[in-house]
């Protein structure tokens, strides 16, 4: 990983640290508050260190959204496109969403809020949504649904999940795991194995 010595000689920063700090600032404060000076203060380095990794604030913002919109690193698409049985992929998808470890719903929501005022960001959000729903639809087709039914199943499942976070519903991980079999049955039409968290 590329590192840069701060001008004071006692601090090192990486590009990923700048991007991570920008992600958190976007989530907590919105895109208008993602500023170079604020990021430097959070990282406890000088502003000059920023320019080792980014040409400008706009370059940072572009890389921030491109990182989020990278299909190859999207955990939800990755789970849905694994070379495993279709039902296992649906279960993995559910686990990733509940665990909120690989998948960051707060970042997802922050990007969507940003997209409300930026047409280019909206295009990237639309593309990722389409890729995720296509991958979900392919799973339902593998499970025997016809093309139209698979598309609707995919939309219902995906829209429910996005809506869950958009509405700011707060439940503990244990509550979500307890309710998941009911949700899973209603949204997919299939029973969730009792040992789903160990699969």
């Amino acid at each position: 990983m590329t590192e840069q010595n701060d001008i004071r000689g006692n601090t090192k920063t990486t590009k990923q640290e700048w991007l991570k700090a920008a992600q958190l600032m976007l989530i907590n404060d919105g895109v208008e508050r993602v500023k170079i000076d604020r990021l430097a203060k959070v990282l406890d380095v000088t502003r000059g260190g920023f320019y080792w990794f980014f040409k400008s604030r706009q370059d940072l913002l572009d890389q921030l959204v491109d990182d989020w919109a990278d299909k190859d690193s999207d955990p939800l698409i990755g789970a849905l496109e694994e070379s495993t049985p279709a039902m296992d992929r649906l279960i993995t998808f559910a686990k990733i969403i509940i665990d909120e470890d690989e998948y960051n719903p707060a970042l997802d929501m922050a990007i969507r809020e940003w997209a409300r005022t930026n047409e280019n960001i909206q295009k990237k959000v639309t593309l990722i949504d389409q890729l995720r729903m296509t991958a979900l639809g392919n799973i339902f087709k593998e499970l025997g649904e016809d093309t139209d039914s698979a598309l609707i199943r995919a939309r219902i499942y995906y829209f429910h999940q996005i809506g869950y976070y958009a509405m700011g519903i707060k439940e503990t991980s244990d509550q979500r795991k307890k309710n998941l079999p009911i949700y899973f049955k209603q949204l997919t039409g299939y029973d969730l194995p009792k040992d789903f968290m160990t699969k």
Side-chain angles (χ1 to χ4, degrees):
M1 182 178 293
T2 303
E3 293 183 338
Q4 176 265 326
N5 281 308
D6 184 71
I7 194 169
R8 291 170 296 181
N10 60 3
T11 304
K12 290 184 177 181
T13 55
T14 66
K15 184 175 185 177
Q16 285 305 311
E17 285 174 326
W18 284 97
L19 285 170
K20 183 63 175 178
Q23 282 183 0
L24 292 174
M25 204 166 282
L26 175 67
I27 290 168
N28 294 324
D29 305 317
V31 67
E32 294 303 321
R33 296 284 288 157
V34 180
K35 304 288 188 181
I36 299 172
D37 286 339
R38 295 187 75 219
L39 291 168
K41 185 175 181 180
V42 167
L43 293 170
D44 193 27
V45 297
T46 62
R47 176 189 173 98
F50 173 88
Y51 294 100
W52 279 83
F53 306 114
F54 307 99
K55 297 175 183 178
S56 62
R57 175 179 179 268
Q58 187 58 53
D59 183 32
L60 167 71
L61 295 178
D62 290 343
Q63 292 193 45
L64 181 63
V65 73
D66 285 346
D67 185 62
W68 173 83
D70 181 4
K71 172 187 179 294
D72 293 331
S73 63
D74 184 276
L76 299 182
I77 294 173
L80 295 169
E81 293 185 343
E82 288 180 350
S83 56
T84 56
M87 185 56 68
D88 286 352
R89 279 178 275 151
L90 271 184
I91 293 169
T92 299
F93 180 81
K95 285 171 62 177
I96 288 175
I97 287 174
I98 286 181
D99 288 342
E100 296 184 10
D101 184 16
E102 298 175 67
Y103 168 64
N104 186 340
L107 178 60
D108 232 35
M109 291 302 106
I111 294 286
R112 291 174 191 282
E113 184 62 29
W114 182 6
R116 292 175 183 271
T117 58
N118 187 304
E119 185 177 350
N120 289 330
I121 306 301
Q122 183 58 61
K123 289 178 181 178
K124 292 176 188 279
V125 169
T126 298
L127 176 60
I128 287 295
D129 284 340
Q130 288 174 341
L131 289 171
R132 290 172 176 174
M133 284 188 285
T134 296
L136 269 172
N138 288 337
I139 288 178
F140 286 116
K141 283 193 281 188
E142 286 183 49
L143 290 170
E145 303 273 359
D146 63 50
T147 299
D148 290 340
S149 294
L151 172 62
I152 297 303
R153 282 284 190 196
R155 286 179 175 176
I156 290 171
Y157 195 6
Y158 189 67
F159 292 167
H160 166 268
Q161 192 53 53
I162 297 303
Y164 178 94
Y165 289 115
M167 292 179 66
I169 297 173
K170 302 296 183 184
E171 292 178 319
T172 66
S173 178
D174 286 342
Q175 287 174 318
R176 297 191 70 185
K177 290 174 185 175
K178 179 181 177 182
N179 293 332
L180 181 61
I182 302 171
Y183 277 122
F184 194 86
K185 176 70 173 181
Q186 296 301 316
L187 296 171
T188 71
Y190 298 94
D191 290 316
L192 187 68
K194 295 185 188 307
D195 62 343
F196 77 96
M197 289 308 290
T198 62
K199 288 182 71 69

